[in-house]
């Protein structure tokens, strides 16, 4: 069971105990008191009913009605209980006063705030009035309800047909928009209203004559009655719901109830709460204490600090997260140490060579000729290249490498790369081609992407013997842009593929920096592609060649990209 469920179980136990104690006290009180229903006279009933009905008609909702109910309770001196026809309590003066609700009294009346239309005798005019009144009322009552929720005053008048007209003191655009939203299929309103135009006159409802006798209704009366019902049906889901109002309370206590049972129950609940809290503290604080100790050791530099984890709850998951963080920090520290060692290794030998040549020149062992100076200059340039690559990689991994992104056609970038390496490919006897069937637009930094393609093409040309080929292709696959640099070279052994993008990795360890590069190019390539929200992968087969695949998101507006926007 998770820690959250255990907490819930303890809280539920406390709640159930409290409810049981309350129920016991209520039953005890009920058995010791004399029941007597409080009554209210008819005038009080009519007053309360009229006030609530007016509120529902004006505001179109029962929200914020609690203040009116409280006022009615003070004015009438009665307990006022307001609930829907389904028993949902809307407001209760007992609850408003912070008291335990008493049993409701016997004086109950209904309050229906839905308006009644006073339709003209002409059937067609009555039909038109009803059809217009339904959406008008629904929009108006939504507006009134919205303003009521925000506490702004609402006024209501009625037109000649009894349809409410709402006026608001402030203009709230949100409420206006809310009221104007379509709230029902108008076709349903029309169908319901049109059904009244063919009344069943074979079985009409009786009407009362002036002398007290009954007579069948006329056609106009039957239609108007049906139209009134149609109006009420179609607005019922938007109007304030009918309420049942109960005045007074039954079961009023005839004497004071002893506080001892209440004190005993409260003491029991307190003991149970203390025990549950103690258990929770023991369960939560012990592993958190271990986490605190481990975090302190980690802060002092002990990257091997871990915590023992037991279970599957949230506290255990916190421990696992801490262990994963410590692992990540330890790996980062190890990578940093390896990087420093690799940089020292890469620079030690060439710097030693430079020092040896310079000391030989200083001691006069070697003659200073142009060939030697050219060699020393080339060695210095190679070291500068390593330092520049290290700087680019550090900036890229730190997220501070500057990018100037524009929408470009990858086909054009690949062609630029092909032209830049054409002379080298031709000298090596390698065919360098671009295969792009259609414009492929992406949002990238063109200079950085040329750096990516140039590095991949350089590596491919070094790995491809004379007579081979290097192909640059781009296209759309499954909504993404895919770029491939494929060669027919010697390939990379499967066991070395996981290390291709590591710093200072070289495919042929026999090649030095003069023929194999600095070993940082592919690490820089991966970081640049990652910064463009893309991915890069490699697939290779010995003797068949290697393919680097770059996946990038497509540009959102390729037409602007053609103009450099």
């Amino acid at each position: 069971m998770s820690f959250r469920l255990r907490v819930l179980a303890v809280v539920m136990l406390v709640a159930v105990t409290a409810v049981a104690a309350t129920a016991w006290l209520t039953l005890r009180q009920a058995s010791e008191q004399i029941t007597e229903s409080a009554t209210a006279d008819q005038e009080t009933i009519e007053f309360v009913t009229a006030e609530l009905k007016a509120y529902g008609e004006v505001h179109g909702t029962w929200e914020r009605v609690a203040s009116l109910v409280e006022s009615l309770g003070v004015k009438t001196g009665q307990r006022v209980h307001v609930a829907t026809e389904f028993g949902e309590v809307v407001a209760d003066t007992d609850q408003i006063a912070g008291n335990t609700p008493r049993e409701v009294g016997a004086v109950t009346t209904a309050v229906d705030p839905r308006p009644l239309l006073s339709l003209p005798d002409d059937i067609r005019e009555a039909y038109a009035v009803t059809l217009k009144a339904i959406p008008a009322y629904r929009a108006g009552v939504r507006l009134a309800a919205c303003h009521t929720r925000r506490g702004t005053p609402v006024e209501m008048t009625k037109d000649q047909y009894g349809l409410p007209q709402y006026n608001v003191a402030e203009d709230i655009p949100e409420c206006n928009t809310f009221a104007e939203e379509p709230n029902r299929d108008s076709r349903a309103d029309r169908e319901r209203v049109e059904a009244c135009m063919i009344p069943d006159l074979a079985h009409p409802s009786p009407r009362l004559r002036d002398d007290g006798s009954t007579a069948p209704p006329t056609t106009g009366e039957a239609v108007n009655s049906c139209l009134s019902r149609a109006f009420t049906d179609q607005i019922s889901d938007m109007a304030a719901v009918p309420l049942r109002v109960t005045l007074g309370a039954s079961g009023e206590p005839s004497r004071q109830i002893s506080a001892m049972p209440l004190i005993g129950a409260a003491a029991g609940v307190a003991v149970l709460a203390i025990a549950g809290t103690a258990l929770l503290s023991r369960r939560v604080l012990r592993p958190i204490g271990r986490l605190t100790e481990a975090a302190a050791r980690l802060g002092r530099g002990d990257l091997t600090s871990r915590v023992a984890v037991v279970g599957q709850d949230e506290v255990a998951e916190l421990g696992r997260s801490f262990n994963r963080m410590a692992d990540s920090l330890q790996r980062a520290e190890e990578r940093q140490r390896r990087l420093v060692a690799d940089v020292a290794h890469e620079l030690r030998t060439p710097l030693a060579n430079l020092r040896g040549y310079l000391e030989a020149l200083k001691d006069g062992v070697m003659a200073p000729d142009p060939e030697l100076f050219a060699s020393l200059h080339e060695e210095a340039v190679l070291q500068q290249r390593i330092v520049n690559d290290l700087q680019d990689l550090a900036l890229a991994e730190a997220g501070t490498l500057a990018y100037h992104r524009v929408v470009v056609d990858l086909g054009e970038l690949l062609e630029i790369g092909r032209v830049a390496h054409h002379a080298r490919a031709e000298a090596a006897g390698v065919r360098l081609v671009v295969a792009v069937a259609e414009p492929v637009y992406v949002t990238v930094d063109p200079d950085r992407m040329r750096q990516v393609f140039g590095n991949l093409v350089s590596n491919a040309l070094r790995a491809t013997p004379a007579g081979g080929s290097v192909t640059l292709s781009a296209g759309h696959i499954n909504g993404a842009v895919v770029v491939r640099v494929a060669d027919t070279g010697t390939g990379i052994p499967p066991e070395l593929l996981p290390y291709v993008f590591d710093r200072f990795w070289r495919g042929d360890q026999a090649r030095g920096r003069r023929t194999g590069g600095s070993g940082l190019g592919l690490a820089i390539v991966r970081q640049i592609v990652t910064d463009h929200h893309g991915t890069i992968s490699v697939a290779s087969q010995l003797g068949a060649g290697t393919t680097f695949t770059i996946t990038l998101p497509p540009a959102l507006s390729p037409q602007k990209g053609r103009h450099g926007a």
Side-chain angles (χ1 to χ4, degrees), residues 497-503 505 522-523 525-526 536-538 548:
L497 284 177
Y499 309 104
V500 166
F501 297 102
D502 288 354
R503 302 182 185 95
W505 181 88
L522 290 179
V525 164
R526 179 175 61 178
I536 183 170
S537 60
V538 58
F548 284 87

Side-chain angles (χ1 to χ4, degrees), residues 86-105:
F86 303 100
E88 181 181 356
V89 177
V90 176
D92 190 339
T93 53
D94 277 0
Q95 292 180 345
I96 295 173
N99 301 324
T100 301
R102 297 167 289 173
E103 293 291 334
V104 296

